[in-house]
Amino acid sequence: TALGGTGCKSLAKRAAEKAIEERTGAKSVDLGSSSGSVEVNDGKGTRVAAGQSVRLPSDWPSFVPQYPGSTISVAAHNASTNEYTAAMVSGDTPDQIIAFYKPKVTGAGFKAEGHVNAGSLQSDTFKHKDGRTVIIMVTEADGKHNIMVSVKNG
């Protein structure tokens, strides 16, 4: 048929992207069907990417890199709050994950402010004298560890 297959899927994908843009006010939405990801950009600096082929934003703070061997499921930058957030999944233990991040964050001038170890949840908070805050949180689910990294610029 003239409209069957890929052409029809492309039209449907673009129609869905357009509908999301109109409903959310986003400047651009990419449902990335071939990559298995969704990207939303509001045109004002706020960006969210979620799915299978997610990467950290190019302006992501370099002192909190992607955890080695992890898979990123969400990466976001909220321009209005100046906050970066990433969610990753790893098979490593919470102690290994925190041990990877702690020297990187403290080496960037942050001081440890708090530590929580509550069974399947481990969280460390770091504060910089300029007001920036870093939170590294690790939770367990289905034998894997979910890592949430948040960097809020004062």
Side-chain angles (χ1 to χ4, degrees):
T1 67
L3 292 176
T6 305
C8 199
K9 288 180 185 175
S10 293
L11 288 174
K13 176 181 171 264
R14 186 60 205 135
E17 290 169 344
K18 189 74 173 158
I20 293 168
E21 289 168 359
E22 289 173 1
R23 289 223 181 246
T24 64
K27 183 170 175 69
S28 68
V29 173
D30 180 0
L31 294 178
S33 59
S34 63
S35 66
S37 65
V38 175
E39 295 182 26
V40 179
N41 180 342
D42 75 350
K44 299 174 189 167
T46 295
R47 303 173 313 277
V48 178
Q52 298 175 2
S53 302
V54 177
R55 295 183 182 173
L56 295 175
S58 60
D59 57 349
W60 179 266
S62 61
F63 62 90
V64 282
Q66 178 178 356
Y67 184 75
S70 70
T71 302
I72 301 172
S73 56
V74 176
H77 175 228
N78 183 330
S80 64
T81 62
N82 204 13
E83 184 172 2
Y84 293 86
T85 306
M88 299 170 248
V89 178
S90 173
D92 289 351
T93 68
D95 288 339
Q96 290 172 306
I97 295 164
I98 296 294
F100 170 79
Y101 281 111
K102 190 170 187 174
K104 293 185 179 317
V105 175
T106 57
F110 288 78
K111 290 178 64 178
E113 288 276 307
H115 174 77
V116 173
N117 189 346
S120 64
L121 166 77
Q122 189 167 329
S123 176
D124 280 59
T125 302
F126 304 88
K127 189 91 170 168
H128 196 278
K129 63 184 175 184
D130 66 8
R132 291 179 293 161
T133 303
V134 173
I135 299 172
I136 310 292
M137 187 175 3
V138 184
T139 60
E140 184 179 353
D142 300 324
K144 297 279 187 182
H145 290 96
N146 298 306
I147 307 164
M148 180 68 69
V149 176
S150 174
V151 180
K152 185 161 185 173
N153 295 306

Short mmCIF file of all heavy atoms in Angstrom, two decimals, residues 42-47 76-84 151-154:
data_model
loop_
_atom_site.label_atom_id
_atom_site.label_comp_id
_atom_site.label_asym_id
_atom_site.label_seq_id
_atom_site.Cartn_x
_atom_site.Cartn_y
_atom_site.Cartn_z
N ASP A 42 12.35 21.94 26.27
CA ASP A 42 11.37 23.02 26.32
C ASP A 42 11.82 24.29 25.62
O ASP A 42 11.11 25.28 25.58
CB ASP A 42 10.96 23.32 27.77
CG ASP A 42 12.01 24.08 28.56
OD1 ASP A 42 13.15 24.24 28.07
OD2 ASP A 42 11.70 24.51 29.69
N GLY A 43 13.03 24.28 25.05
CA GLY A 43 13.53 25.46 24.35
C GLY A 43 14.06 26.53 25.27
O GLY A 43 14.55 27.56 24.84
N LYS A 44 13.99 26.31 26.57
CA LYS A 44 14.47 27.27 27.57
C LYS A 44 15.59 26.68 28.40
O LYS A 44 15.93 27.19 29.45
CB LYS A 44 13.32 27.70 28.48
CG LYS A 44 12.18 28.36 27.74
CD LYS A 44 11.01 28.61 28.67
CE LYS A 44 9.81 29.07 27.87
NZ LYS A 44 8.59 29.03 28.67
N GLY A 45 16.14 25.55 27.95
CA GLY A 45 17.26 24.93 28.66
C GLY A 45 16.91 23.68 29.44
O GLY A 45 17.80 22.97 29.89
N THR A 46 15.62 23.40 29.62
CA THR A 46 15.23 22.18 30.33
C THR A 46 15.14 21.04 29.32
O THR A 46 14.47 21.16 28.30
CB THR A 46 13.91 22.37 31.07
OG1 THR A 46 14.10 23.35 32.09
CG2 THR A 46 13.44 21.07 31.72
N ARG A 47 15.87 19.96 29.63
CA ARG A 47 15.91 18.81 28.74
C ARG A 47 15.76 17.54 29.57
O ARG A 47 16.33 17.42 30.64
CB ARG A 47 17.24 18.75 28.00
CG ARG A 47 17.55 19.99 27.20
CD ARG A 47 18.95 20.00 26.61
NE ARG A 47 20.04 19.64 27.50
CZ ARG A 47 20.65 20.46 28.34
NH1 ARG A 47 20.25 21.71 28.44
NH2 ARG A 47 21.65 20.07 29.09
N ALA A 76 18.50 14.37 32.95
CA ALA A 76 17.72 15.60 32.84
C ALA A 76 18.49 16.81 33.35
O ALA A 76 19.34 16.69 34.23
CB ALA A 76 16.42 15.46 33.65
N HIS A 77 18.16 17.95 32.76
CA HIS A 77 18.64 19.23 33.26
C HIS A 77 17.43 20.14 33.35
O HIS A 77 16.77 20.40 32.34
CB HIS A 77 19.69 19.85 32.34
CG HIS A 77 20.10 21.22 32.79
ND1 HIS A 77 20.18 22.28 31.93
CD2 HIS A 77 20.45 21.69 34.00
CE1 HIS A 77 20.55 23.36 32.60
NE2 HIS A 77 20.72 23.02 33.86
N ASN A 78 17.13 20.60 34.56
CA ASN A 78 16.02 21.52 34.78
C ASN A 78 16.60 22.92 34.85
O ASN A 78 17.25 23.28 35.83
CB ASN A 78 15.28 21.17 36.07
CG ASN A 78 14.07 22.04 36.30
OD1 ASN A 78 14.03 23.20 35.88
ND2 ASN A 78 13.08 21.49 36.97
N ALA A 79 16.41 23.71 33.80
CA ALA A 79 17.00 25.04 33.74
C ALA A 79 16.43 25.98 34.79
O ALA A 79 17.14 26.84 35.30
CB ALA A 79 16.80 25.63 32.34
N SER A 80 15.16 25.84 35.14
CA SER A 80 14.55 26.77 36.09
C SER A 80 15.09 26.59 37.51
O SER A 80 15.18 27.55 38.26
CB SER A 80 13.02 26.65 36.08
OG SER A 80 12.62 25.38 36.53
N THR A 81 15.48 25.36 37.88
CA THR A 81 16.07 25.12 39.20
C THR A 81 17.57 24.91 39.13
O THR A 81 18.22 24.75 40.16
CB THR A 81 15.43 23.89 39.88
OG1 THR A 81 15.71 22.74 39.07
CG2 THR A 81 13.94 24.07 40.07
N ASN A 82 18.12 24.90 37.91
CA ASN A 82 19.55 24.67 37.66
C ASN A 82 20.00 23.36 38.30
O ASN A 82 21.02 23.31 38.98
CB ASN A 82 20.39 25.85 38.15
CG ASN A 82 21.71 25.93 37.42
OD1 ASN A 82 21.91 25.26 36.40
ND2 ASN A 82 22.63 26.71 37.94
N GLU A 83 19.22 22.32 38.08
CA GLU A 83 19.50 21.00 38.66
C GLU A 83 19.67 19.96 37.57
O GLU A 83 18.94 19.94 36.58
CB GLU A 83 18.36 20.59 39.58
CG GLU A 83 18.60 19.30 40.30
CD GLU A 83 17.55 19.01 41.37
OE1 GLU A 83 16.61 19.81 41.52
OE2 GLU A 83 17.67 17.98 42.04
N TYR A 84 20.67 19.11 37.75
CA TYR A 84 20.92 17.98 36.88
C TYR A 84 20.55 16.71 37.64
O TYR A 84 20.87 16.59 38.82
CB TYR A 84 22.40 17.89 36.50
CG TYR A 84 22.87 19.02 35.63
CD1 TYR A 84 23.32 20.22 36.19
CD2 TYR A 84 22.89 18.89 34.24
CE1 TYR A 84 23.76 21.25 35.39
CE2 TYR A 84 23.34 19.92 33.44
CZ TYR A 84 23.77 21.10 34.03
OH TYR A 84 24.21 22.12 33.23
N VAL A 151 22.58 16.94 41.06
CA VAL A 151 23.48 18.07 41.28
C VAL A 151 22.65 19.33 41.17
O VAL A 151 22.09 19.62 40.12
CB VAL A 151 24.63 18.11 40.25
CG1 VAL A 151 25.54 19.30 40.53
CG2 VAL A 151 25.40 16.80 40.24
N LYS A 152 22.56 20.05 42.28
CA LYS A 152 21.80 21.30 42.27
C LYS A 152 22.78 22.44 42.46
O LYS A 152 23.53 22.47 43.43
CB LYS A 152 20.74 21.32 43.36
CG LYS A 152 19.88 22.57 43.28
CD LYS A 152 18.58 22.45 43.99
CE LYS A 152 17.78 23.69 43.72
NZ LYS A 152 16.45 23.63 44.21
N ASN A 153 22.77 23.35 41.49
CA ASN A 153 23.67 24.48 41.55
C ASN A 153 23.01 25.60 42.35
O ASN A 153 21.93 26.06 41.99
CB ASN A 153 24.02 24.97 40.14
CG ASN A 153 24.82 23.90 39.41
OD1 ASN A 153 25.82 23.44 39.92
ND2 ASN A 153 24.36 23.51 38.25
N GLY A 154 23.66 25.97 43.45
CA GLY A 154 23.19 26.96 44.40
C GLY A 154 22.49 28.09 43.81
O GLY A 154 21.73 28.82 44.10
#
